[in-house]
Amino acid sequence: MIRYLRLKIHQIGRKTKNSVFLNQYFPRFKERVYWAGDRFSFARAGFIGGFCMMLPVPFQMVLGSVFAYFLRANIPLATALAWVTNPLTMWPIWYGGYRFGVWILNTRDLYNANAQITVGSELWFTEVFPHIWQPFFLGNMLLGLIIGSLLYLIIGYFHLFKTLNALWKIRQKPTLPP
């Protein structure tokens, strides 16, 4: 089974590298930084993926992949982080962003006031959405910036913890008397 999966991944990679569309419109697509990368390529991908996962728009993974290409970040990591908001998790995540926006703007939460209206219906879009769009988008955008920034710092500067640990060990060594 593992051999089969490796073969399929290799075939997909070969088709991707030989794609006429990708080679025409994205000429740097084959560069190593997009697929293997370094610490800062992964850090940029962490920021992009964390930001895109909070955007309340469809096709976040495509948006994350395009941002990763133009910002020279690791494409698989940015795409995978954008997948955090999938059809099962997007509603609680976006509602958390809405609540954060309500808290930032200091407005009233309209969730319980309109519980009888079906979300996504025409009535909901005409009656409810005009009142909630500002905290909804602001909260999700700010949380995306916060989560993306935290991921960037954790991934890009994780080696600082190793350095601090090494310095602590040096400090803990007993000194020999002269």
Side-chain angles (χ1 to χ4, degrees):
M1 180 69 175
I2 293 176
R3 187 175 175 195
Y4 174 77
L5 289 174
R6 285 184 182 168
L7 176 66
K8 285 298 177 187
I9 290 171
H10 184 70
Q11 289 173 348
I12 291 170
R14 189 179 304 139
K15 286 181 183 179
T16 303
K17 286 183 179 181
N18 295 330
S19 170
V20 176
F21 173 78
L22 291 175
N23 289 325
Q24 180 179 0
Y25 293 106
F26 302 101
R28 297 178 297 160
F29 192 67
K30 295 180 187 178
E31 290 181 18
R32 180 174 165 75
V33 73
Y34 296 118
W35 304 104
D38 56 357
R39 181 176 52 242
F40 293 106
S41 169
F42 285 111
R44 285 189 298 266
F47 178 81
I48 292 165
F51 179 72
C52 287
M53 80 175 177
M54 291 304 297
L55 291 178
V57 296
F59 304 111
Q60 299 149 319
M61 65 181 184
V62 175
L63 189 63
S65 300
V66 170
F67 281 163
Y69 176 79
F70 287 111
L71 296 174
R72 297 188 56 77
N74 186 276
I75 292 174
L77 180 62
T79 306
L81 285 173
W83 276 341
V84 169
T85 50
N86 56 55
L88 294 176
T89 61
M90 72 173 62
W91 303 114
I93 289 173
W94 288 349
Y95 179 67
Y98 167 69
R99 292 294 306 253
F100 185 67
V102 164
W103 179 71
I104 290 290
L105 293 175
N106 197 19
T107 59
R108 192 168 61 99
D109 185 7
L110 298 176
Y111 179 73
N112 292 330
N114 299 303
Q116 69 277 7
I117 300 174
T118 306
V119 175
S121 66
E122 185 179 340
L123 183 62
W124 184 84
F125 275 108
T126 58
E127 296 292 324
V128 179
F129 191 72
H131 300 288
I132 68 166
W133 73 270
Q134 289 174 333
F136 180 65
F137 284 109
L138 179 72
N140 281 302
M141 294 284 278
L142 286 177
L143 279 179
L145 287 172
I146 291 168
I147 292 170
S149 299
L150 286 174
L151 285 173
Y152 182 84
L153 291 174
I154 289 170
I155 295 170
Y157 296 100
F158 190 73
H159 69 284
L160 288 178
F161 297 117
K162 292 179 187 176
T163 306
L164 292 174
N165 193 19
L167 290 174
W168 181 255
K169 286 182 181 179
I170 291 172
R171 185 174 170 216
Q172 295 293 332
K173 285 185 181 177
T175 58
L176 297 175

PDB file of all heavy atoms in Angstrom, residues 2 6 13 35 44 53 58 63 71 81 83 85 91 101 118 137 139-140 143 149 162 167 169:
ATOM      1  N   ILE A   2       1.912   1.265   0.833  1.00  0.00           N
ATOM      2  CA  ILE A   2       2.801   2.427   0.899  1.00  0.00           C
ATOM      3  C   ILE A   2       3.535   2.604  -0.425  1.00  0.00           C
ATOM      4  O   ILE A   2       3.709   3.731  -0.897  1.00  0.00           O
ATOM      5  CB  ILE A   2       3.774   2.280   2.085  1.00  0.00           C
ATOM      6  CG1 ILE A   2       2.988   2.349   3.389  1.00  0.00           C
ATOM      7  CG2 ILE A   2       4.846   3.349   2.045  1.00  0.00           C
ATOM      8  CD1 ILE A   2       3.810   2.113   4.620  1.00  0.00           C
ATOM      9  N   ARG A   6       3.388   5.975  -2.737  1.00  0.00           N
ATOM     10  CA  ARG A   6       4.598   6.668  -3.195  1.00  0.00           C
ATOM     11  C   ARG A   6       4.619   6.807  -4.713  1.00  0.00           C
ATOM     12  O   ARG A   6       5.007   7.842  -5.247  1.00  0.00           O
ATOM     13  CB  ARG A   6       5.842   5.929  -2.731  1.00  0.00           C
ATOM     14  CG  ARG A   6       6.145   6.111  -1.290  1.00  0.00           C
ATOM     15  CD  ARG A   6       7.436   5.440  -0.930  1.00  0.00           C
ATOM     16  NE  ARG A   6       7.701   5.585   0.493  1.00  0.00           N
ATOM     17  CZ  ARG A   6       8.633   4.925   1.133  1.00  0.00           C
ATOM     18  NH1 ARG A   6       9.389   4.053   0.475  1.00  0.00           N
ATOM     19  NH2 ARG A   6       8.808   5.112   2.410  1.00  0.00           N
ATOM     20  N   GLY A  13       3.470  14.386  -8.967  1.00  0.00           N
ATOM     21  CA  GLY A  13       4.563  15.358  -9.047  1.00  0.00           C
ATOM     22  C   GLY A  13       5.087  15.515 -10.458  1.00  0.00           C
ATOM     23  O   GLY A  13       5.381  16.626 -10.914  1.00  0.00           O
ATOM     24  N   TRP A  35       8.656  23.917  -2.458  1.00  0.00           N
ATOM     25  CA  TRP A  35       8.327  22.545  -2.087  1.00  0.00           C
ATOM     26  C   TRP A  35       9.131  22.060  -0.888  1.00  0.00           C
ATOM     27  O   TRP A  35       8.596  21.381  -0.021  1.00  0.00           O
ATOM     28  CB  TRP A  35       8.537  21.619  -3.276  1.00  0.00           C
ATOM     29  CG  TRP A  35       7.738  22.109  -4.428  1.00  0.00           C
ATOM     30  CD1 TRP A  35       8.193  22.773  -5.530  1.00  0.00           C
ATOM     31  CD2 TRP A  35       6.312  22.068  -4.546  1.00  0.00           C
ATOM     32  NE1 TRP A  35       7.137  23.134  -6.325  1.00  0.00           N
ATOM     33  CE2 TRP A  35       5.975  22.706  -5.757  1.00  0.00           C
ATOM     34  CE3 TRP A  35       5.307  21.544  -3.761  1.00  0.00           C
ATOM     35  CZ2 TRP A  35       4.662  22.830  -6.181  1.00  0.00           C
ATOM     36  CZ3 TRP A  35       4.001  21.672  -4.190  1.00  0.00           C
ATOM     37  CH2 TRP A  35       3.693  22.309  -5.388  1.00  0.00           C
ATOM     38  N   ARG A  44       6.804  31.901   6.417  1.00  0.00           N
ATOM     39  CA  ARG A  44       5.882  32.660   5.564  1.00  0.00           C
ATOM     40  C   ARG A  44       4.642  31.839   5.244  1.00  0.00           C
ATOM     41  O   ARG A  44       3.522  32.354   5.222  1.00  0.00           O
ATOM     42  CB  ARG A  44       6.590  33.099   4.280  1.00  0.00           C
ATOM     43  CG  ARG A  44       7.555  34.241   4.477  1.00  0.00           C
ATOM     44  CD  ARG A  44       8.069  34.776   3.164  1.00  0.00           C
ATOM     45  NE  ARG A  44       8.818  33.800   2.388  1.00  0.00           N
ATOM     46  CZ  ARG A  44      10.140  33.655   2.426  1.00  0.00           C
ATOM     47  NH1 ARG A  44      10.862  34.417   3.204  1.00  0.00           N
ATOM     48  NH2 ARG A  44      10.734  32.750   1.674  1.00  0.00           N
ATOM     49  N   MET A  53      -6.872  30.662   6.504  1.00  0.00           N
ATOM     50  CA  MET A  53      -7.863  29.774   7.116  1.00  0.00           C
ATOM     51  C   MET A  53      -8.955  30.563   7.823  1.00  0.00           C
ATOM     52  O   MET A  53     -10.056  30.071   8.001  1.00  0.00           O
ATOM     53  CB  MET A  53      -7.213  28.795   8.072  1.00  0.00           C
ATOM     54  CG  MET A  53      -6.890  29.322   9.422  1.00  0.00           C
ATOM     55  SD  MET A  53      -6.280  27.998  10.444  1.00  0.00           S
ATOM     56  CE  MET A  53      -5.897  28.904  11.916  1.00  0.00           C
ATOM     57  N   PRO A  58     -14.877  31.535   0.000  1.00  0.00           N
ATOM     58  CA  PRO A  58     -14.678  30.183  -0.544  1.00  0.00           C
ATOM     59  C   PRO A  58     -13.296  30.042  -1.172  1.00  0.00           C
ATOM     60  O   PRO A  58     -12.641  31.031  -1.495  1.00  0.00           O
ATOM     61  CB  PRO A  58     -15.788  30.059  -1.595  1.00  0.00           C
ATOM     62  CG  PRO A  58     -16.137  31.453  -1.962  1.00  0.00           C
ATOM     63  CD  PRO A  58     -15.862  32.300  -0.760  1.00  0.00           C
ATOM     64  N   LEU A  63      -6.463  30.312  -2.619  1.00  0.00           N
ATOM     65  CA  LEU A  63      -5.951  31.627  -2.277  1.00  0.00           C
ATOM     66  C   LEU A  63      -4.624  31.511  -1.517  1.00  0.00           C
ATOM     67  O   LEU A  63      -3.669  32.244  -1.793  1.00  0.00           O
ATOM     68  CB  LEU A  63      -6.981  32.378  -1.439  1.00  0.00           C
ATOM     69  CG  LEU A  63      -6.731  33.836  -1.149  1.00  0.00           C
ATOM     70  CD1 LEU A  63      -6.710  34.644  -2.446  1.00  0.00           C
ATOM     71  CD2 LEU A  63      -7.800  34.369  -0.218  1.00  0.00           C
ATOM     72  N   LEU A  71       4.645  35.049  -2.637  1.00  0.00           N
ATOM     73  CA  LEU A  71       5.467  35.460  -1.506  1.00  0.00           C
ATOM     74  C   LEU A  71       6.622  34.492  -1.238  1.00  0.00           C
ATOM     75  O   LEU A  71       7.272  34.593  -0.197  1.00  0.00           O
ATOM     76  CB  LEU A  71       4.595  35.602  -0.252  1.00  0.00           C
ATOM     77  CG  LEU A  71       3.535  36.689  -0.342  1.00  0.00           C
ATOM     78  CD1 LEU A  71       2.629  36.670   0.881  1.00  0.00           C
ATOM     79  CD2 LEU A  71       4.180  38.052  -0.500  1.00  0.00           C
ATOM     80  N   LEU A  81      -2.576  24.353   5.901  1.00  0.00           N
ATOM     81  CA  LEU A  81      -3.105  25.177   6.986  1.00  0.00           C
ATOM     82  C   LEU A  81      -4.422  25.839   6.597  1.00  0.00           C
ATOM     83  O   LEU A  81      -5.283  26.062   7.451  1.00  0.00           O
ATOM     84  CB  LEU A  81      -2.085  26.231   7.400  1.00  0.00           C
ATOM     85  CG  LEU A  81      -0.908  25.709   8.228  1.00  0.00           C
ATOM     86  CD1 LEU A  81       0.117  26.803   8.428  1.00  0.00           C
ATOM     87  CD2 LEU A  81      -1.385  25.175   9.557  1.00  0.00           C
ATOM     88  N   TRP A  83      -6.623  24.397   4.934  1.00  0.00           N
ATOM     89  CA  TRP A  83      -7.617  23.313   5.035  1.00  0.00           C
ATOM     90  C   TRP A  83      -8.171  23.148   6.444  1.00  0.00           C
ATOM     91  O   TRP A  83      -9.090  22.357   6.653  1.00  0.00           O
ATOM     92  CB  TRP A  83      -7.017  21.988   4.617  1.00  0.00           C
ATOM     93  CG  TRP A  83      -7.033  21.735   3.165  1.00  0.00           C
ATOM     94  CD1 TRP A  83      -7.794  22.337   2.226  1.00  0.00           C
ATOM     95  CD2 TRP A  83      -6.232  20.782   2.475  1.00  0.00           C
ATOM     96  NE1 TRP A  83      -7.516  21.834   0.986  1.00  0.00           N
ATOM     97  CE2 TRP A  83      -6.553  20.882   1.111  1.00  0.00           C
ATOM     98  CE3 TRP A  83      -5.271  19.870   2.860  1.00  0.00           C
ATOM     99  CZ2 TRP A  83      -5.958  20.090   0.151  1.00  0.00           C
ATOM    100  CZ3 TRP A  83      -4.676  19.088   1.897  1.00  0.00           C
ATOM    101  CH2 TRP A  83      -5.017  19.196   0.557  1.00  0.00           C
ATOM    102  N   THR A  85     -10.002  25.116   8.045  1.00  0.00           N
ATOM    103  CA  THR A  85     -11.428  25.439   7.955  1.00  0.00           C
ATOM    104  C   THR A  85     -12.029  24.667   6.798  1.00  0.00           C
ATOM    105  O   THR A  85     -11.999  25.099   5.664  1.00  0.00           O
ATOM    106  CB  THR A  85     -11.646  26.952   7.759  1.00  0.00           C
ATOM    107  OG1 THR A  85     -10.823  27.398   6.700  1.00  0.00           O
ATOM    108  CG2 THR A  85     -11.353  27.724   8.997  1.00  0.00           C
ATOM    109  N   TRP A  91     -17.923  26.637  10.431  1.00  0.00           N
ATOM    110  CA  TRP A  91     -18.978  27.367  11.150  1.00  0.00           C
ATOM    111  C   TRP A  91     -18.561  27.744  12.563  1.00  0.00           C
ATOM    112  O   TRP A  91     -18.734  28.901  12.956  1.00  0.00           O
ATOM    113  CB  TRP A  91     -20.278  26.583  11.108  1.00  0.00           C
ATOM    114  CG  TRP A  91     -20.686  26.311   9.699  1.00  0.00           C
ATOM    115  CD1 TRP A  91     -20.755  25.091   9.089  1.00  0.00           C
ATOM    116  CD2 TRP A  91     -21.016  27.269   8.693  1.00  0.00           C
ATOM    117  NE1 TRP A  91     -21.110  25.246   7.767  1.00  0.00           N
ATOM    118  CE2 TRP A  91     -21.288  26.573   7.501  1.00  0.00           C
ATOM    119  CE3 TRP A  91     -21.101  28.647   8.678  1.00  0.00           C
ATOM    120  CZ2 TRP A  91     -21.640  27.201   6.323  1.00  0.00           C
ATOM    121  CZ3 TRP A  91     -21.458  29.280   7.498  1.00  0.00           C
ATOM    122  CH2 TRP A  91     -21.720  28.566   6.345  1.00  0.00           C
ATOM    123  N   GLY A 101     -15.139  39.875  16.654  1.00  0.00           N
ATOM    124  CA  GLY A 101     -15.464  41.153  16.033  1.00  0.00           C
ATOM    125  C   GLY A 101     -16.500  41.934  16.815  1.00  0.00           C
ATOM    126  O   GLY A 101     -16.416  43.161  16.931  1.00  0.00           O
ATOM    127  N   THR A 118     -33.485  31.028   9.004  1.00  0.00           N
ATOM    128  CA  THR A 118     -32.520  30.049   8.533  1.00  0.00           C
ATOM    129  C   THR A 118     -31.297  30.754   7.955  1.00  0.00           C
ATOM    130  O   THR A 118     -31.416  31.647   7.112  1.00  0.00           O
ATOM    131  CB  THR A 118     -33.149  29.151   7.447  1.00  0.00           C
ATOM    132  OG1 THR A 118     -34.343  28.579   7.959  1.00  0.00           O
ATOM    133  CG2 THR A 118     -32.184  28.070   7.014  1.00  0.00           C
ATOM    134  N   PHE A 137     -16.464  40.117   9.359  1.00  0.00           N
ATOM    135  CA  PHE A 137     -15.236  40.210   8.578  1.00  0.00           C
ATOM    136  C   PHE A 137     -14.077  40.770   9.390  1.00  0.00           C
ATOM    137  O   PHE A 137     -12.948  40.290   9.285  1.00  0.00           O
ATOM    138  CB  PHE A 137     -15.459  41.042   7.310  1.00  0.00           C
ATOM    139  CG  PHE A 137     -16.193  40.294   6.244  1.00  0.00           C
ATOM    140  CD1 PHE A 137     -17.497  40.608   5.925  1.00  0.00           C
ATOM    141  CD2 PHE A 137     -15.594  39.251   5.566  1.00  0.00           C
ATOM    142  CE1 PHE A 137     -18.187  39.908   4.962  1.00  0.00           C
ATOM    143  CE2 PHE A 137     -16.268  38.540   4.601  1.00  0.00           C
ATOM    144  CZ  PHE A 137     -17.572  38.873   4.292  1.00  0.00           C
ATOM    145  N   GLY A 139     -13.569  40.633  12.688  1.00  0.00           N
ATOM    146  CA  GLY A 139     -13.112  39.639  13.658  1.00  0.00           C
ATOM    147  C   GLY A 139     -12.311  38.529  13.022  1.00  0.00           C
ATOM    148  O   GLY A 139     -11.255  38.127  13.531  1.00  0.00           O
ATOM    149  N   ASN A 140     -12.773  38.028  11.889  1.00  0.00           N
ATOM    150  CA  ASN A 140     -12.048  36.947  11.222  1.00  0.00           C
ATOM    151  C   ASN A 140     -10.725  37.439  10.634  1.00  0.00           C
ATOM    152  O   ASN A 140      -9.726  36.726  10.693  1.00  0.00           O
ATOM    153  CB  ASN A 140     -12.919  36.300  10.149  1.00  0.00           C
ATOM    154  CG  ASN A 140     -13.917  35.351  10.747  1.00  0.00           C
ATOM    155  OD1 ASN A 140     -13.552  34.409  11.425  1.00  0.00           O
ATOM    156  ND2 ASN A 140     -15.190  35.608  10.529  1.00  0.00           N
ATOM    157  N   LEU A 143      -8.318  37.928  13.667  1.00  0.00           N
ATOM    158  CA  LEU A 143      -7.864  36.630  14.161  1.00  0.00           C
ATOM    159  C   LEU A 143      -6.922  35.960  13.177  1.00  0.00           C
ATOM    160  O   LEU A 143      -5.958  35.299  13.584  1.00  0.00           O
ATOM    161  CB  LEU A 143      -9.058  35.722  14.448  1.00  0.00           C
ATOM    162  CG  LEU A 143      -9.755  35.944  15.775  1.00  0.00           C
ATOM    163  CD1 LEU A 143     -10.938  34.996  15.924  1.00  0.00           C
ATOM    164  CD2 LEU A 143      -8.804  35.766  16.932  1.00  0.00           C
ATOM    165  N   SER A 149       0.514  35.599  12.483  1.00  0.00           N
ATOM    166  CA  SER A 149       1.723  36.178  13.093  1.00  0.00           C
ATOM    167  C   SER A 149       2.322  35.240  14.125  1.00  0.00           C
ATOM    168  O   SER A 149       3.547  35.090  14.200  1.00  0.00           O
ATOM    169  CB  SER A 149       1.396  37.524  13.734  1.00  0.00           C
ATOM    170  OG  SER A 149       0.931  38.427  12.769  1.00  0.00           O
ATOM    171  N   LYS A 162      16.076  26.706  21.275  1.00  0.00           N
ATOM    172  CA  LYS A 162      17.229  25.809  21.354  1.00  0.00           C
ATOM    173  C   LYS A 162      18.457  26.564  21.844  1.00  0.00           C
ATOM    174  O   LYS A 162      19.222  26.068  22.660  1.00  0.00           O
ATOM    175  CB  LYS A 162      17.506  25.191  19.981  1.00  0.00           C
ATOM    176  CG  LYS A 162      16.455  24.230  19.516  1.00  0.00           C
ATOM    177  CD  LYS A 162      16.806  23.690  18.145  1.00  0.00           C
ATOM    178  CE  LYS A 162      15.691  22.867  17.581  1.00  0.00           C
ATOM    179  NZ  LYS A 162      15.970  22.418  16.219  1.00  0.00           N
ATOM    180  N   LEU A 167      22.299  27.897  26.194  1.00  0.00           N
ATOM    181  CA  LEU A 167      22.904  28.875  27.096  1.00  0.00           C
ATOM    182  C   LEU A 167      22.603  28.538  28.555  1.00  0.00           C
ATOM    183  O   LEU A 167      23.453  28.710  29.435  1.00  0.00           O
ATOM    184  CB  LEU A 167      22.409  30.279  26.763  1.00  0.00           C
ATOM    185  CG  LEU A 167      22.913  30.883  25.457  1.00  0.00           C
ATOM    186  CD1 LEU A 167      22.230  32.211  25.190  1.00  0.00           C
ATOM    187  CD2 LEU A 167      24.413  31.051  25.503  1.00  0.00           C
ATOM    188  N   LYS A 169      22.137  25.531  29.783  1.00  0.00           N
ATOM    189  CA  LYS A 169      22.973  24.384  30.145  1.00  0.00           C
ATOM    190  C   LYS A 169      24.409  24.816  30.416  1.00  0.00           C
ATOM    191  O   LYS A 169      25.056  24.308  31.324  1.00  0.00           O
ATOM    192  CB  LYS A 169      22.919  23.324  29.055  1.00  0.00           C
ATOM    193  CG  LYS A 169      21.612  22.567  29.028  1.00  0.00           C
ATOM    194  CD  LYS A 169      21.631  21.503  27.955  1.00  0.00           C
ATOM    195  CE  LYS A 169      20.293  20.779  27.937  1.00  0.00           C
ATOM    196  NZ  LYS A 169      20.246  19.752  26.907  1.00  0.00           N
TER     197      LYS A 169
END
